[in-house]
Structures are given as structure tokens and as C-alpha cells.
Amino acid sequence: MRGGEKPRIREAIVVEGRYDKNTLSQVVDGVILETSGFGIFRDEERLAILRRLAEERGLLVFTDSDGAGFVIRNYLRGAVDPALVKHAYIPDRPGKEKRKKTPGKEGKLGVEGMPPEVLLEALRRGGATFLDGEERKGPHRPITKTDLYLAGLSGTPEAGENRRVLLRRLELPEHMSANALLEVLNVLYSYEELVSMGILEERR
């Protein structure tokens, strides 16, 4: 890593939970999303976001090496176009994460328990696309709930219909909630792009 910079990954990385996400976000720069464990099985909005991200930039599934991790991995294999999905695997290592009082059911370390160099090697072996410094974008202003409110996309009687119109325009699932819309907009677009498209009002 040059100058302490984290390597940037093109693909959106899918992990099981927030501790995995926190660990990985300290190692790489990129879009990292959680399945909330088996929660992905009944979360159509999250699945719709994953499908769209797969089309836009590719997905890289990075679940734990235990049985539960493979159940989630196999579910995503059937739910997202396999041609758009890569898979990274951590090695089988016995142990428990520091925050846990007892090991997991199978006594294996998960993504959150792996050292940075192991995570990076697993991503490389999984075919992750490492972007060089020239493609690195500078800090950008996040899209906020206030932006959506001012654009009439949340918090008003007409917000639901306004969202449906926008979602059709962006070719996203039309029943997406305001929170899901906010998440996917922050992944797929910059604030400046949405202003230039006339979707958001420019404000300081």
C-alpha cells in the first residue's frame, strides 16, 4: 500500500455481518455490503441492490468458511447472475474472534478474525480487481436523507409516487423504500451526478 493507502477494489464485496464489514473496511477501499446473515433470504430490497451492483461493477462474495457461510454463498449463486459474481474464500483456521466469549459452532475463524494480509490474498485469489491510484476518486459529498426530502423523495405524501418514477428512470426496483434508495444512490452515483441529472437540488 503506497503511503498507507488502502487498495481499492472495483467489485462490490458481500460479507455476512457488520463485524466482517468493519474488519474488511480497514483493509480495502470499496463498496462492502452485508447479508445480515440469513437475513438476505427474505430481504428482496437488499437482493435487488446486489443484482444492480453486479451489473454495474460485479460482485465478490466473501463469506465465512463454515457451513452457514456456504449456505449464504450458494443462495447468492442462484439469486444473482453467476457470470457477474466472483467468490473469495478464507482459509479454514480454528479459533475464535476476540469479541466472542466462545468459538462459533464449527470452531473456525471468520472473515473478521483474519489478519489483513490473509484477507488481501484471499481477494486476489478470488479475482478481485485492484484499481491503481489513477482511478482513485477523491472524497465526495454523500447523498443524505435531507437531499431526498428536499427532492420530494421522502417524508411527503407524494414521496412514494416520486420514488417510483425515479426508480423506473434509473431501472431500479419500483417498490424500493427511501432508505434502500439512499443506500443504492450513494453506491451508484455521486451527489454531483444526481444534481446534473436534475434529480437532486444543489445545496451547500
Side-chain angles (χ1 to χ4, degrees), residues 64-143:
D64 292 349
S65 60
D66 58 8
F70 274 85
V71 168
I72 295 168
R73 190 185 290 277
N74 289 333
Y75 173 77
L76 291 174
R77 274 197 176 98
V80 182
D81 183 351
L84 305 175
V85 182
K86 298 176 181 178
H87 292 268
Y89 299 87
I90 56 171
D92 264 355
R93 290 190 179 177
K96 74 173 185 67
E97 282 76 17
K98 292 178 181 179
R99 68 179 176 85
K100 296 180 179 177
K101 292 182 179 179
T102 57
K105 185 177 178 181
E106 297 179 29
K108 298 176 181 179
L109 286 172
V111 168
E112 68 164 294
M114 293 289 154
E117 61 273 14
V118 172
L119 295 174
L120 285 171
E121 180 60 22
L123 290 170
R124 288 192 183 95
R125 288 178 179 273
T129 306
F130 285 76
L131 303 176
D132 61 28
E134 292 181 4
E135 297 190 61
R136 184 181 300 272
K137 295 181 180 178
H140 65 277
R141 175 195 180 290
I143 301 153

Side-chain angles (χ1 to χ4, degrees), residues 138-157:
H140 65 277
R141 175 195 180 290
I143 301 153
T144 66
K145 288 185 177 181
T146 301
D147 292 323
L148 296 192
Y149 174 75
L150 292 175
L153 296 168
S154 70
T156 68

Side-chain angles (χ1 to χ4, degrees), residues 130-198:
F130 285 76
L131 303 176
D132 61 28
E134 292 181 4
E135 297 190 61
R136 184 181 300 272
K137 295 181 180 178
H140 65 277
R141 175 195 180 290
I143 301 153
T144 66
K145 288 185 177 181
T146 301
D147 292 323
L148 296 192
Y149 174 75
L150 292 175
L153 296 168
S154 70
T156 68
E158 303 81 19
E161 179 58 29
N162 291 342
R163 277 200 307 278
R164 280 190 286 275
V165 171
L166 174 61
L167 289 164
R168 283 195 293 270
R169 175 181 171 184
L170 300 179
E171 298 181 331
L172 290 166
E174 65 174 323
H175 298 295
M176 192 172 282
S177 67
N179 285 338
L181 174 62
L182 181 64
E183 179 177 20
V184 77
L185 289 180
N186 267 304
V187 169
L188 297 175
Y189 301 95
S190 70
Y191 168 77
E192 291 75 18
E193 285 173 329
L194 293 178
V195 169
S196 69
M197 293 163 69

